[in-house]
Amino acid sequence: MNDTGKESRHLSTHIDRTADDVYAYASDPANLPAWAHGLGGSITEIGERWVAESSPMGRVEIAFTPRNELGVLDHDVTLPSGETVYNPVRVIRSDAGSEVVFTLRRRPEMSDADFDRDADMVSADLARLKELMESA
């Protein structure tokens, strides 16, 4: 039996940069188009939300947790359907740089293929973030 809605995957990448450096870059929504292609190629600030017009899901609104000292990059993505998806993300300090961990939660209507596709997109986004941070 498929237990959709209760399954999560923790996707992560190690980055050879300090957690402070990674957090400073990744917590700036204006940087999202460079590394988070899953949210689209452009983003605009409208009030306290950011809007991505050209995401693969259509127009989405993104609301981020306030900047903090704990490396928390959580954000809500409101889909064109009105559904809001909570995305927990952490930048964790390590002796040799940092680790970024994205918790992907399976939505109840997602097929195995949809969940795998989302995991692949998040993994690709994390790989781009790693590449950008390590080449800077």
Side-chain angles (χ1 to χ4, degrees):
M1 181 176 164
N2 191 349
D3 196 17
T4 59
K6 296 181 182 177
E7 182 181 357
S8 294
R9 288 188 194 168
H10 304 286
L11 306 164
S12 68
T13 191
H14 179 272
I15 299 176
D16 289 325
R17 290 286 296 270
T18 69
D20 289 341
D21 287 348
V22 173
Y23 183 82
Y25 182 81
S27 66
D28 183 347
N31 292 329
L32 283 172
W35 67 273
H37 294 179
L39 291 176
S42 66
I43 190 163
T44 305
E45 185 176 15
I46 300 175
E48 293 183 12
R49 291 191 175 264
W50 290 79
V51 177
E53 295 287 346
S54 58
S55 88
M57 302 164 281
R59 181 183 193 270
V60 298
E61 293 184 10
I62 308 148
F64 294 89
T65 192
R67 288 186 187 232
N68 58 81
E69 299 295 319
L70 302 173
V72 176
L73 290 172
D74 295 3
H75 55 283
D76 289 329
V77 176
T78 302
L79 304 174
S81 67
E83 175 187 9
T84 298
V85 179
Y86 169 63
N87 297 286
V89 184
R90 303 291 183 274
V91 178
I92 301 168
R93 300 178 195 284
S94 78
D95 291 338
S98 60
E99 182 179 12
V100 179
V101 181
F102 187 110
T103 300
L104 178 65
R105 293 187 165 159
R106 183 179 189 144
R107 297 190 324 271
E109 73 283 358
M110 291 182 94
S111 68
D112 290 344
D114 290 339
F115 194 46
D116 289 343
R117 185 175 49 254
D118 276 8
D120 290 344
M121 287 175 50
V122 168
S123 294
D125 288 349
L126 293 175
R128 273 189 293 280
L129 178 60
K130 174 182 177 70
E131 182 180 340
L132 285 167
M133 294 304 304
E134 290 181 354
S135 66

